[in-house]
Amino acid sequence: MSTATIVGPDGRARCRWSGAAPEFIDYHDREWGFPVSDDRRLFEKLSLEGFQSGLSWRTVLAKRESFRAVFHGFDVDEIARFTGRDVERLLGDERIIRHRGKIEAVIHNARCARELVAREGSLAAFVWRYEPAAEQLARPQTVSTSPESVALSKDLKKLGWKFVGPTTVYAFMQAMGLVNDHVEGCVIRGDVERSRERFKRPRR
């Protein structure tokens, strides 16, 4: 058995990180690495990865439903209309991570995303242009950035986005299926690969 895997409660091998917390198995099996083209989910993940900066994903995942509630399901148009009063309201909400810079970044990024969508057709069409070629991939879970995450980070920053450094963007790419970073021997790796094969890359 590879040291990169761990045996789950059902006796099947999974990426080792999925055993770090009980709630990780469901996230690992049903979400992480499966390709996503829905703009709300993509914007949500970029936002939550920004909140994770300096913290653990377990902390953010535990608060995800609360984040969804206070940010209107991560609807870009709704968030783009937030004002300073909304920032103060969120800073007083104990259900979420109360960090002024990160809250303000989500609102700012929503406005940037709205402009991007108006020009590109969708956030999905923009980010999927940075999907790496299979032959260029590093061995699963051995890197925290990639040339593509550096390029996407740089281009988002040019468009005014905040809290989108290369490491944050690479974690986003792993989670949203732009790369299949499940390790060899993980029972979900094949499921993700088949999903990626069927996935229709967004063009607009």
Side-chain angles (χ1 to χ4, degrees):
M1 175 84 53
S2 167
T3 56
T5 59
I6 190 170
V7 177
D10 57 1
R12 301 192 300 171
R14 292 174 172 81
C15 298
R16 177 163 290 278
W17 65 261
S18 69
E23 61 269 29
F24 280 1
I25 292 180
D26 189 65
Y27 175 70
H28 170 276
D29 287 6
R30 297 176 181 272
E31 293 187 54
W32 196 75
F34 288 92
V36 174
S37 61
D38 178 76
D39 274 10
R40 282 201 191 197
R41 285 191 60 198
L42 293 169
F43 184 74
E44 172 187 285
K45 186 59 176 171
L46 277 170
S47 300
L48 294 183
E49 287 294 345
F51 271 104
Q52 186 190 343
S53 179
L55 302 170
S56 71
W57 175 240
R58 185 179 189 181
T59 298
V60 176
L61 185 61
K63 296 177 179 290
R64 185 167 65 170
E65 289 306 319
S66 296
F67 276 117
R68 287 171 173 170
V70 302
F71 283 115
H72 299 279
F74 287 92
D75 182 296
V76 164
D77 291 326
E78 291 280 353
I79 300 169
R81 289 193 285 268
F82 278 19
T83 66
R85 183 176 297 177
D86 291 296
V87 173
E88 296 306 318
R89 172 177 57 82
L90 293 172
L91 284 170
D93 196 322
E94 295 181 355
R95 296 175 296 167
I96 66 169
I97 295 164
R98 294 176 291 173
H99 184 291
R100 182 181 292 276
K102 294 176 181 180
I103 290 170
E104 290 177 342
V106 172
I107 299 167
H108 174 82
N109 289 349
R111 293 167 185 160
C112 293
R114 190 167 57 176
E115 294 174 3
L116 186 154
V117 169
R119 187 178 66 252
E120 305 288 344
S122 69
L123 178 59
F126 181 80
V127 301
W128 274 93
R129 291 178 197 157
Y130 297 83
E131 178 187 11
E135 61 271 16
Q136 296 175 338
L137 295 175
R139 190 160 53 86
Q141 297 177 40
T142 60
V143 299
S144 58
T145 65
S146 70
E148 293 79 16
S149 79
V150 170
L152 178 52
S153 169
K154 182 178 179 180
D155 289 346
L156 286 172
K157 288 178 179 178
K158 283 182 181 177
L159 296 172
W161 292 60
K162 300 177 180 179
F163 281 93
V164 286
T167 302
T168 294
V169 169
Y170 189 71
F172 161 82
M173 295 173 80
Q174 290 174 299
M176 297 289 98
L178 281 82
V179 298
N180 181 358
D181 233 20
H182 286 273
V183 297
E184 297 291 343
C186 172
V187 68
I188 304 300
R189 181 174 173 83
D191 294 341
V192 166
E193 202 53 47
R194 286 185 288 274
S195 182
R196 282 176 41 79
E197 289 171 1
R198 295 190 301 267
F199 182 66
K200 185 177 180 180
R201 272 65 176 169
R203 300 304 177 196
R204 278 197 62 76

